Amino acid sequence: MVDSQYYLPNDIGISALDCREAFRLLSPQEKMYAHYLSRASWYGGLVVLLQTSPESANIFVLLQRIFRKQTPDQLEQVAKAAGLSSEDYQAFLVYAAGVYANMGNYKSFGDTKFIPNLPKDKLEALVRASQAFQENPTEMEALWGISSCLIYSLEDKQKQLGLGDKGITSYFSGNCSLEDAELAQRFLDSRKLSAYNTRLFKRENGGKPCYEVRLASAVQKDCAVDGEAGSSCGSFTFEDKEFIVKRGDYSPLMEKVCHYLQEAQAYAANENQKKMLEEYRRSFEFGSIEAHKEGSRFWIKDKGPIVESYIGFIESYRDPFGSRGEFEGFVAVVNKAMSERFAKLVSSAEILLPELPWPQQFEKDTFLKPDFTSLDVLTFAGSGIPAGINIPNYDDIRQSEGFKNVSLGNVLAVAYATQKEKLTFLEEKDKDLFIKWKGPSFEVQVGLHELLGHGSGKLFVQDDHGKFNFDQSNVVNPETGEKVSSWYQGSETWDSKFSTIASSYEECRAECVGLYLCLNKQVLSIFGHEAQEAEDVVYINWLSMVRAGLLGLEFYTPESKSWRQAHMQARFVILRVLLEAGEGLVGLEEVEGQDGKPDARITLDRSKISTVGKDAIHRFLCKLQVFKSTADVEGGRALYEGYSAVSDTGAHNFLRLRETVLLRKEARKMFVQANTRIGGNKLEFGDRHMNQTGGENVELVEYESSAAGLIRSFTERFQDDAEQLEADLLDLNKADACYWC
């Protein structure tokens, strides 16, 4: 039997993201704008296949070819004739839906590989019996041949994403180690190049290692970009090693992104949107992060748009080194009622920020009031969909020019709905309260986490001209009582300095800010919670966090002593901090479940949250910020990795608790997203319908909440140029195949 963490259960939750009403209310121009931005996002999102694993793109094409010829309903009869049971066929549909939803065969949340939950010979029988195989046996045979072994392989290295011998990644060639990643980062820093849109390939040249840094771009030739000093590309010697910087990674996909961004420009609502799209297009055309930063500046200035979007190489969670961005693009529509609450929170930010537990000199000089809106997602292309976002991730822009926050309302509405019988590790008396207040408390936490978590704190920097952004002669480190003695220099950034722990450390800091400030009655009042209701929201927010810390153990790999998910590592760290606070604040015990199998119970003394709990978070949060502000990597690592350690010694046997968590885990939900298309008549396709929504005939195409619905959304998403697109993906994958051996 394969460990259940390596396949998706047949009864996995699948929910449709409902944006019908939000889309209906858009003007014809806004619908066209949203449509073309969605197209740009979806084509760009395919880049994630090539960023995830060597086999992901091949599996995607295999599935697309099968389901373009036969819908899931039509294929079911073929499956039965080929000897598959209904459970086998459902397992295949769930696997296919999982590949689409995660943009690859590794979970976007947790980074573990998942394989089909049916025998390989049965899947092979189905593939061979499919119409796609019957019509094109030579190509399908070849595609199955290069995909099948890796679809099912669970060798130790292939069980999770990672660098070197710790896992699989296609951000780096298979022969790269952590030392190679560190060397490449020093090289990029020396050239003032960002790693966000790069991959690193190492090869031999005359018996010596040669490193190829590849920039994502539509253009493949090495030329200078308007507005930049010179070409980033060329051959360089650095620390006696050869580096080659070249353009053209994902070129056919980047061309598509550029094309649809240009189409969207014609329907932009204002000059900021037009300039934003122009800079994004320049970024994806030439591989220029400077152009993307310029586009982000215009995006920040585009206050309160009806159709909100962001696109590019954004989050660095899945790069094992922590500095390369995964492609994502989203298009969403403002939810005005919820956005009013977030606007009130923004207005209160300058009152709330001084409450945070670090000295005023460690806070930004001025708080740049951001947009903070609640959005209903129309399109979110990438490996997964978050509940909230704080962007851009460029430190220099966030510190001096601003940022935006968004809360994704229709994601929150379905992602965190919980059934009582599936609620693990809580006392019975807490379960009803948890179900009632989980959604509202998470809404408060997301707001504080994004706005005042990621939006707070200052980085101390000395620029290339020797100028400091703080008074280095007077600022005192509150942890040591001595003057600050370290800071960021030149092109160093938070990600480049703290690398492998940067993402999780920052998520932990933001989560702690949320816990700390949710105790403020003014904050609770903004979200409509008063008196007893407000106390219940605080209690459930803190209880959710300590329970999430326990659940986080699912995402720890004992063999490599590594964490596979930034947010869950952060929540485990917070659990450890609150357990360490003592005085009965948090209780965690191993018990026997009603089924006779190992279980656990976590408790929280609500009377001690505002005293013992607040004091513990106060102390820990101050340390996190001080290490971050002062670029003290050594101190920050020692603190964070200490609390991240999972062992079988001490007051709690976390390694044994991890087994209990795995025994009782619930699979993360998958989302079905709508499509948009420009068309005329209302069409009927079996269980699926198109709603004609007016405007310039932009239709919203909706699908049922099932694995079959999710699959159909993807096969119909790329039907205009399916064969060319699939050929491009296979060619891109084949060109780099030699690097994964």
Side-chain angles (χ1 to χ4, degrees):
M1 286 290 292
V2 174
D3 189 324
S4 65
Q5 70 176 311
Y6 297 112
Y7 61 77
L8 306 174
N10 278 11
D11 63 350
I12 191 169
I14 300 176
S15 299
L17 277 186
D18 181 12
C19 62
R20 187 184 316 170
E21 184 63 12
F23 188 79
R24 185 184 69 81
L25 294 171
L26 294 179
S27 71
Q29 178 181 342
E30 289 162 350
K31 286 175 183 172
M32 291 294 281
Y33 183 66
H35 167 73
Y36 284 120
L37 284 177
S38 292
R39 301 308 293 153
S41 296
W42 285 123
Y43 278 97
L46 296 173
V47 164
V48 178
L49 294 165
L50 300 160
Q51 292 182 303
T52 299
S53 71
E55 67 272 17
S56 287
N58 293 337
I59 298 170
F60 178 88
V61 173
L62 178 72
L63 294 172
Q64 286 290 85
R65 289 187 172 173
I66 290 171
F67 287 116
R68 276 199 297 111
K69 292 294 182 182
Q70 292 167 294
T71 66
D73 285 349
Q74 292 167 341
L75 194 63
E76 187 170 12
Q77 304 310 311
V78 177
K80 285 182 180 174
L84 278 72
S85 67
S86 57
E87 288 79 15
D88 290 332
Y89 185 62
Q90 178 63 17
F92 169 61
L93 292 184
V94 165
Y95 175 75
V99 170
Y100 288 129
N102 292 280
M103 255 313 123
N105 59 336
Y106 286 75
K107 295 176 187 175
S108 65
F109 199 87
D111 293 345
T112 46
K113 187 173 185 176
F114 58 94
I115 67 171
N117 190 19
L118 74 160
K120 185 178 178 181
D121 60 341
K122 289 196 174 184
L123 178 52
E124 182 171 358
L126 174 58
V127 170
R128 291 182 181 282
S130 68
Q131 186 179 331
F133 198 99
Q134 299 300 312
E135 290 182 7
N136 205 335
T138 305
E139 281 193 26
M140 289 295 286
E141 180 75 60
L143 194 47
W144 173 253
I146 58 173
S147 307
S148 56
C149 287
L150 285 172
I151 285 174
Y152 277 91
S153 174
L154 281 176
E155 292 180 16
D156 284 348
K157 183 176 175 176
Q158 288 166 345
K159 286 180 178 178
Q160 65 282 315
L161 299 179
L163 183 57
D165 59 2
K166 291 193 172 181
I168 291 294
T169 179
S170 42
Y171 285 105
F172 299 87
S173 56
N175 57 352
C176 281
S177 64
L178 180 61
E179 289 71 29
D180 293 314
E182 289 169 342
L183 170 65
Q185 187 63 58
R186 293 196 298 275
F187 165 74
L188 290 169
D189 287 344
S190 76
R191 302 291 309 170
K192 293 185 170 48
L193 274 173
S194 169
Y196 269 124
N197 64 341
T198 70
R199 292 196 291 169
L200 183 69
F201 298 86
K202 179 183 176 184
R203 53 187 168 81
E204 292 291 315
N205 186 8
K208 293 183 178 180
C210 173
Y211 297 90
E212 181 182 301
V213 176
R214 205 181 294 169
L215 309 178
S217 69
V219 167
Q220 300 190 47
K221 61 184 178 181
D222 299 341
C223 55
V225 179
D226 288 347
E228 294 182 17
S231 176
S232 306
C233 304
S235 296
F236 308 92
T237 300
F238 180 78
E239 294 186 13
D240 293 327
K241 302 289 192 300
E242 183 184 1
F243 277 84
I244 298 172
V245 181
K246 62 190 296 185
R247 290 196 175 91
D249 215 4
Y250 327 117
S251 176
L253 299 176
M254 293 292 98
E255 281 181 20
K256 282 286 189 181
V257 175
C258 291
H259 167 74
Y260 284 116
L261 289 177
Q262 189 162 18
E263 294 285 336
Q265 260 183 290
Y267 300 95
N270 53 54
E271 279 303 305
N272 277 325
Q273 286 184 0
K274 286 178 183 174
K275 289 175 180 174
M276 167 189 86
L277 295 179
E278 182 60 40
E279 292 296 336
Y280 289 164
R281 195 161 62 83
R282 198 162 68 90
S283 171
F284 302 137
E285 189 172 358
F286 294 105
S288 167
I289 290 296
E290 285 305 313
H292 194 268
K293 290 172 80 169
E294 196 60 28
S296 298
R297 291 184 173 101
F298 287 117
W299 177 71
I300 293 166
K301 293 173 187 172
D302 184 30
K303 300 288 186 185
I306 300 300
V307 177
E308 182 62 281
S309 68
Y310 197 64
I311 188 169
F313 295 86
I314 313 298
E315 303 293 356
S316 55
Y317 301 125
R318 295 180 97 191
D319 168 15
F321 186 68
S323 59
R324 284 155 190 79
E326 185 173 73
F327 196 97
E328 69 179 41
F330 78 82
V331 184
V333 183
V334 170
N335 177 322
K336 290 182 179 176
M338 182 57 67
S339 295
E340 284 178 17
R341 296 185 191 178
F342 290 127
K344 288 179 185 174
L345 188 64
V346 172
S347 298
S348 306
E350 286 163 295
I351 300 167
L352 296 170
L353 279 169
E355 289 198 17
L356 291 171
W358 47 79
Q360 180 264 327
Q361 299 100 317
F362 284 72
E363 191 48 71
K364 293 184 179 75
D365 300 337
T366 54
F367 180 71
L368 301 159
K369 287 189 176 180
D371 255 13
F372 198 163
T373 48
S374 177
L375 306 174
D376 285 342
V377 170
L378 169 65
T379 293
F380 205 111
S383 66
I385 309 179
I389 316 170
N390 173 289
I391 36 182
N393 285 337
Y394 305 119
D395 293 328
D396 51 342
I397 293 179
R398 287 156 71 105
Q399 289 223 111
S400 58
E401 297 174 61
F403 52 92
K404 283 188 187 181
N405 297 276
V406 296
S407 174
L408 304 178
N410 58 344
V411 176
L412 282 168
V414 293
Y416 297 96
T418 312
Q419 296 171 293
K420 188 174 180 179
E421 58 271 19
K422 291 189 175 182
L423 254 186
T424 52
F425 310 130
L426 295 178
E427 293 187 308
E428 284 301 315
K429 67 181 178 66
D430 282 329
K431 289 184 178 180
D432 288 329
L433 206 62
F434 189 95
I435 288 168
K436 182 177 181 180
W437 295 112
K438 174 68 173 113
S441 72
F442 195 69
E443 183 182 283
V444 173
Q445 180 69 10
V446 167
L448 294 171
H449 173 115
E450 300 297 348
L451 175 68
L452 299 167
H454 293 315
S456 66
K458 179 173 181 172
L459 301 186
F460 295 152
V461 179
Q462 181 184 21
D463 67 20
D464 289 329
H465 305 292
K467 185 181 177 183
F468 291 88
N469 71 342
F470 69 104
D471 183 354
Q472 83 277 14
S473 62
N474 286 318
V475 176
V476 172
N477 182 325
E479 296 297 313
T480 64
E482 299 172 358
K483 289 179 184 175
V484 165
S485 58
S486 58
W487 44 82
Y488 298 85
Q489 297 188 0
S491 59
E492 290 179 341
T493 66
W494 163 249
D495 279 333
S496 71
K497 286 288 283 184
F498 282 73
S499 65
T500 54
I501 66 163
S503 290
S504 184
Y505 187 112
E506 173 59 12
E507 293 304 330
C508 187
R509 195 183 68 86
E511 291 284 46
C512 285
V513 168
L515 286 181
Y516 193 77
L517 290 180
C518 82
L519 299 171
N520 183 293
K521 286 183 168 54
Q522 181 181 348
V523 167
L524 296 162
S525 182
I526 287 169
F527 285 90
H529 307 303
E530 307 282 356
Q532 183 61 44
E533 183 180 299
E535 290 182 23
D536 287 345
V537 166
V538 169
Y539 175 58
I540 294 305
N541 194 33
W542 279 62
L543 183 63
S544 296
M545 187 63 70
V546 293
R547 177 175 179 264
L550 179 60
L551 296 177
L553 287 167
E554 176 190 341
F555 302 94
Y556 176 76
T557 303
E559 293 79 11
S560 58
K561 296 185 177 178
S562 62
W563 285 89
R564 306 185 313 275
Q565 213 294 319
H567 299 78
M568 299 312 279
Q569 178 182 359
R571 290 158 188 163
F572 177 75
V573 165
I574 292 169
L575 170 62
R576 290 282 310 275
V577 168
L578 295 177
L579 282 168
E580 184 182 86
E583 299 187 47
L585 173 68
V586 174
L588 173 59
E589 60 176 336
E590 297 180 64
V591 298
E592 184 179 286
Q594 291 183 337
D595 56 5
K597 295 176 182 177
D599 206 340
R601 287 289 172 274
I602 196 148
T603 56
L604 174 69
D605 187 337
R606 65 190 296 167
S607 70
K608 294 177 179 174
I609 292 173
S610 61
T611 53
V612 180
K614 185 179 182 182
D615 288 347
I617 294 297
H618 182 287
R619 291 190 300 272
F620 183 61
L621 190 46
C622 188
K623 288 178 182 173
L624 289 176
Q625 183 58 50
V626 168
F627 288 136
K628 181 181 180 183
S629 289
T630 59
D632 185 350
V633 179
E634 189 177 335
R637 275 195 179 277
L639 176 75
Y640 200 68
E641 290 175 349
Y643 280 110
S644 297
V646 178
S647 73
D648 55 3
T649 59
H652 300 96
N653 186 332
F654 286 115
L655 282 175
R656 191 165 63 219
L657 279 163
R658 176 181 173 273
E659 297 300 319
T660 303
V661 169
L662 287 174
L663 177 70
R664 300 187 179 278
K665 73 183 177 71
E666 183 181 359
R668 194 171 174 83
K669 284 181 181 174
M670 297 193 289
F671 297 115
V672 184
Q673 297 184 60
N675 285 322
T676 55
R677 87 183 212 181
I678 300 169
N681 300 323
K682 182 177 177 182
L683 304 174
E684 298 288 343
F685 286 98
D687 60 7
R688 191 261 295 163
H689 64 277
M690 291 188 178
N691 293 325
Q692 189 165 340
T693 52
E696 291 183 52
N697 284 341
V698 180
E699 299 165 337
L700 187 70
V701 188
E702 297 180 296
Y703 303 87
E704 67 174 28
S705 299
S706 67
L710 202 160
I711 290 163
R712 293 185 71 166
S713 73
F714 269 89
T715 51
E716 294 178 10
R717 193 157 280 150
F718 304 105
Q719 55 191 0
D720 296 345
D721 60 349
E723 291 187 8
Q724 183 60 53
L725 178 66
E726 289 160 16
D728 287 340
L729 282 169
L730 292 179
D731 287 346
L732 286 167
N733 218 37
K734 186 178 180 181
D736 292 329
C738 61
Y739 286 110
W740 317 126
C741 300

